[in-house]
Amino acid sequence: MVSHSCANNTFLFWFSNEHSNFRLAEMEALFKYFQLDRAILDRRKAKGPFVLMDFPDESGPRKLMSKTVLAHSCYELWASGVALEDLHENMKLNLHLVAPFVDDSFQFRVDTYGKTLTHKEKLPLIDTFEYMPLDGKVDLKTPELSLHLIQFFGMDPNRVPEYPYQQYFGRWLFDGQRRLVSKINLKDRKFIGNTSMDPLLSLLMANLALVKPNDIVLDPFVGTGSLLVASALMNAYVVGSDIDYLMVHAKTSSSRARQKKRASDESIRANLKQYGVENQYLDVVVADASRPLWKDDFKFDAIITDPPYGIREPTEKIGTSRQSPDYKIKEEHLALHIPSKISYTLQDIFSDLLNYSSKKLNIGGRLVLWIPISRTEYDEDKLPRNPALALVSNCEQTLTSTASRRLLVYEKIKEPTESCTTVLDGSALMYRFKFFEVDPTTHRRARKAKSVQEFGKSSKRGQQQSS
Amino acid sequence: MKLFTHNMLTSKMIKNVKVGYPLKLNAAEVKVTPSEFRSTYVSRMLPKIDWGVLYEATQSIGHAEAIPSSISDDYEKNEDFLRKAHHALFEIEVINGEMICPETGRKFPIKDGIPNMLVNEDEVN
Ligand SMILES: C[S@@+](CC[C@H](N)C(=O)[O-])C[C@H]1O[C@@H](n2cnc3c(N)ncnc32)[C@H](O)[C@@H]1O
């Protein structure tokens, strides 16, 4: 394709390979966050990892790149073409674009996707740009103008073509927030556990939740607090709760390979401190998410969470299967008593979470969560629904051929009435992550058997205990 | 635990408890951790705060002088007041102590700054 009027308002966004399923969802959220014209996104053109969008100027792209964790760089597009000659023909019609930069120090780079070129192969390509009216000096370290020829060799590593399928040429503008992703890597993080969420996905969840400065964000299944880290980095204030006393107190055994004992100063708060955002820490509380905890008129701006699936952590809540209503723990046992827990079915976890969020979010506030799904049983209609919450995005991350987890985003659209209960068809929930079973104790096996029994049962849970 | 959090917590998870608020606060150890003051944030927070409960809490843990007993009408423009509110809500922390359910007397320990709001299986529905 030779586009003859490559106006200077086309911008090229280069996305990373991973998590391509989440690209559109993140962009939709960022367009909403910055109140950008949604039509721009709808008119986008995509090819492999590249997305072209037209903006009136670079302020929109700058905003998007200031938050995205999925796009790694953004360019003002100057020319494009399938063959290099076409691209040059196109560029020669657009030489006016160079005018503001003639005296700038500059560099040329060749970037490829789907094929690796040697330095020796790249040089002659750069030489073909000789005609560009650039008077500044070459500066490979900190150039004022960075020009990139980007060649796309397709997505199939087994069928790499000799010539690129598409070539783009433009001026580098911004990088995305990949640096933030590496800044909060788990390897160097003070307090982690085997449930800590991947840094990129944590930040993505905060973006999807439209987290903004001074928001109050809750994670009711906080674990090691990795989701709080992401929101705190966006200058929100964060609150968490978890049923696991030892986890919240960072006293569980260490998940690091060569370290048995945790350091005494490990904590969720220490993580925020490590990243310079201790100010954003409100509190974490030991509490059962299936029970009311916060006062009614206290609302959150976002609820971002990764509920337990029973894979690496228990799905439990406080309770007993003893039927007697006046069952009481004997006085002499009270001091040392550890609350007994009953299995908390996935269906109840998600029903409770949606009921709870429908009450505890501000209008417009978002609930972002992961849900384990059986791919063979999945149907969008089976996902949890609540009349007060609109499902605004739903993306799959496949784990195995039969199991995946979905990242769901709900937005509160109204205050719930008494009849606003969550409906969910549990048959699509993944109860049995066979591939992930590391150390199934008999106890756990018994619990699994029980949830298998409930497999397929559809639930309607009321609001009785979920404010 | 910050007094902000105390202002939000209830003991409604206990069976037959109607309101479960405010929780009575006893502190064995209190610490003041300075944190950045953001006036817009504090004034946005204040409508969510039960001022009487906050005042009571400061009294009960030995920070009686921290805030005035009633909320200032013009607090949005009153930086001195907002700073005091910020201090009471976000800087005074209970490290060790307990909270007590107003209806049942049930105690919730606070240890290393973290409240334990778990109740036993015979206390829930
Ligand atoms: C998938 S993990 C969350 C991990 C967390 N995102 C992190 O960064 O470590 C789920 C957490 O839910 C907790 N949990 C399980 N049942 C619970 C309940 N009924 N109430 C509150 N937390 C619960 C577990 O202790 C576990 O820490």
Side-chain angles (χ1 to χ4, degrees):
Chain A
M1 179 203 76
V2 187
S3 81
H4 285 284
S5 62
C6 187
N8 71 345
N9 59 1
T10 299
F11 294 83
L12 171 79
F13 296 82
W14 188 342
F15 283 83
S16 6
N17 267 344
E18 36 176 2
H19 307 308
S20 55
N21 278 355
F22 300 133
R23 278 178 201 159
L24 181 57
E26 194 202 31
M27 279 295 145
E28 279 174 344
L30 295 180
F31 268 72
K32 177 149 187 181
Y33 183 88
F34 289 114
Q35 298 174 312
L36 298 173
D37 179 5
R38 171 69 211 227
I40 293 175
L41 181 61
D42 293 335
R43 283 195 296 263
R44 74 192 179 279
K45 294 190 195 80
K47 191 166 240 162
F50 304 104
V51 172
L52 300 180
M53 288 191 271
D54 292 339
F55 283 89
D57 56 54
E58 61 182 60
S59 68
R62 172 185 288 114
K63 287 175 178 160
L64 294 174
M65 298 308 286
S66 74
K67 286 194 73 81
T68 177
V69 287
L70 296 182
H72 62 66
S73 48
C74 173
Y75 309 80
E76 179 182 65
L77 190 67
W78 282 7
S80 64
V82 172
L84 197 55
E85 300 77 60
D86 297 340
L87 184 141
H88 282 308
E89 197 182 308
N90 189 194
M91 185 62 230
K92 283 172 185 162
L93 295 172
N94 286 333
L95 286 179
H96 60 276
L97 294 175
V98 191
F101 308 101
V102 273
D103 297 322
D104 284 5
S105 63
F106 66 93
Q107 70 164 347
F108 269 94
R109 290 191 49 165
V110 179
D111 297 324
T112 55
Y113 183 94
K115 185 179 191 169
T116 317
L117 296 189
T118 62
H119 189 58
K120 248 172 106 181
E121 289 167 309
K122 287 179 179 177
L123 281 180
L125 294 171
I126 292 175
D127 289 341
T128 62
F129 286 89
E130 251 173 8
Y131 61 89
M132 296 279 288
L134 293 166
D135 299 336
K137 52 179 198 312
V138 173
D139 180 345
L140 299 180
K141 284 216 177 76
T142 51
E144 291 162 302
L145 174 67
S146 190
L147 294 169
H148 294 239
L149 173 66
I150 298 169
Q151 302 189 314
F152 177 51
F153 289 91
M155 307 295 290
D156 185 351
N158 298 317
R159 291 195 2 235
V160 179
E162 188 177 350
Y163 297 103
Y165 289 124
Q166 183 67 37
Q167 312 197 46
Y168 303 103
F169 179 65
R171 175 169 76 98
W172 172 84
L173 289 176
F174 316 107
D175 281 340
Q177 299 306 309
R178 309 289 296 190
R179 225 179 300 140
L180 197 53
V181 175
S182 19
K183 172 178 165 176
I184 61 168
N185 75 75
L186 295 178
K187 206 168 104 284
D188 300 322
R189 189 178 302 173
K190 192 122 203 158
F191 172 45
I192 58 165
N194 53 11
T195 58
S196 295
M197 178 66 63
D198 171 75
L200 188 147
L201 293 175
S202 308
L203 291 162
L204 175 68
M205 289 171 82
N207 276 344
L208 293 177
L210 309 179
V211 171
K212 57 183 188 309
N214 295 341
D215 274 359
I216 297 189
V217 176
L218 169 72
D219 181 352
F221 301 100
V222 73
T224 58
S226 45
L227 301 179
L228 300 190
V229 165
S231 289
L233 285 167
M234 298 178 184
N235 285 322
Y237 290 86
V238 295
V239 184
S241 70
D242 200 288
I243 200 169
D244 187 342
Y245 180 95
L246 294 175
M247 175 79 83
V248 179
H249 282 269
K251 296 256 161 53
T252 50
S253 52
S254 175
S255 63
R256 291 185 206 273
R258 255 164 298 147
Q259 177 193 336
K260 280 245 167 56
K261 271 205 126 132
R262 289 194 182 275
S264 62
D265 58 346
E266 285 186 29
S267 68
I268 292 173
R269 187 177 192 155
N271 285 347
L272 298 193
K273 193 170 180 175
Q274 180 181 358
Y275 304 127
V277 288
E278 191 187 2
N279 249 314
Q280 306 311 122
Y281 178 87
L282 287 175
D283 268 308
V284 293
V285 179
V286 184
D288 181 347
S290 71
R291 308 283 171 188
L293 180 66
W294 307 101
K295 70 175 181 184
D296 284 342
D297 54 351
F298 177 42
K299 306 268 157 114
F300 296 94
D301 298 295
I303 296 177
I304 305 177
T305 196
D306 183 24
Y309 319 139
I311 311 160
R312 289 154 303 181
E313 68 285 327
T315 53
E316 291 171 331
K317 60 178 180 177
I318 303 296
T320 173
S321 43
R322 275 173 254 227
Q323 290 304 314
S324 159
D326 36 44
Y327 159 68
K328 248 191 140 348
I329 299 163
K330 291 206 182 74
E331 195 71 40
E332 65 267 31
H333 293 157
L334 213 51
L336 291 173
H337 183 78
I338 295 167
S340 93
K341 293 168 188 169
I342 52 173
S343 119
Y344 191 16
T345 69
L346 283 182
Q347 243 170 325
D348 290 349
I349 289 177
F350 290 100
S351 298
D352 286 350
L353 183 58
L354 264 78
N355 283 335
Y356 183 81
S357 304
S358 73
K359 292 182 190 160
K360 300 303 289 177
L361 283 171
N362 288 315
I363 301 256
R366 287 187 167 190
L367 163 67
V368 177
L369 60 88
W370 290 99
I371 187 167
I373 291 289
S374 154
R375 301 191 73 203
T376 48
E377 299 291 326
Y378 173 74
D379 186 301
E380 197 180 305
D381 292 336
K382 295 181 179 176
L383 293 176
R385 300 281 173 174
N386 184 298
L389 300 169
L391 181 65
V392 293
S393 114
N394 163 15
C395 305
E396 182 183 37
Q397 182 185 30
T398 53
L399 299 174
T400 71
S401 58
T402 54
S404 69
R405 58 176 183 174
R406 283 179 176 266
L407 185 51
L408 304 183
V409 182
Y410 295 88
E411 189 167 299
K412 177 161 168 181
I413 49 176
K414 59 174 187 188
E415 285 305 333
T417 57
E418 279 307 312
S419 61
C420 282
T421 51
T422 300
V423 182
L424 132 82
D425 181 340
S427 64
L429 290 174
M430 193 65 183
Y431 290 90
R432 298 157 297 177
F433 274 90
K434 290 207 179 72
F435 300 90
F436 293 88
E437 252 171 33
V438 193
D439 173 28
T441 62
T442 36
H443 179 56
R444 193 166 275 212
R445 212 177 281 149
R447 208 190 302 141
K448 283 239 162 74
K450 186 161 175 276
S451 52
V452 171
Q453 265 179 19
E454 271 147 359
F455 193 91
K457 200 176 83 184
S458 164
S459 95
K460 264 194 191 195
R461 256 168 89 90
Q463 304 182 298
Q464 66 283 22
Q465 44 164 235
S466 47
S467 76
Chain B
M1 184 197 67
K2 300 180 201 289
L3 297 187
F4 170 83
T5 306
H6 169 258
N7 213 275
M8 301 301 159
L9 286 174
T10 74
S11 54
K12 266 191 303 187
M13 72 295 278
I14 300 176
K15 82 179 148 201
N16 301 328
V17 165
K18 297 264 152 16
V19 186
Y21 185 85
L23 301 171
K24 189 170 159 15
L25 183 60
N26 289 333
E29 185 187 346
V30 176
K31 198 173 129 194
V32 172
T33 320
S35 76
E36 191 192 323
F37 168 70
R38 292 182 196 150
S39 62
T40 47
Y41 177 66
V42 180
S43 53
R44 227 193 91 199
M45 252 10 271
L46 280 179
K48 303 188 186 211
I49 303 297
D50 186 320
W51 192 262
V53 171
L54 180 64
Y55 180 71
E56 194 56 40
T58 56
Q59 301 288 310
S60 65
I61 60 168
H63 279 257
E65 74 301 342
I67 49 168
S69 62
S70 58
I71 194 161
S72 138
D73 293 333
D74 66 338
Y75 63 74
E76 275 168 37
K77 284 170 260 139
N78 187 341
E79 185 177 318
D80 181 53
F81 177 84
L82 289 177
R83 280 190 184 276
K84 284 186 174 148
H86 167 80
H87 175 69
L89 286 166
F90 303 113
E91 297 189 324
I92 302 176
E93 299 192 49
V94 178
I95 306 302
N96 290 303
E98 62 186 15
M99 288 180 283
I100 303 169
C101 168
E103 293 165 45
T104 64
R106 208 284 187 192
K107 290 179 176 162
F108 298 95
I110 303 165
K111 192 165 180 297
D112 298 331
I114 300 176
N116 182 354
M117 304 303 291
L118 284 183
V119 293
N120 289 324
E121 63 277 15
D122 61 346
E123 298 171 282
V124 296
N125 279 319

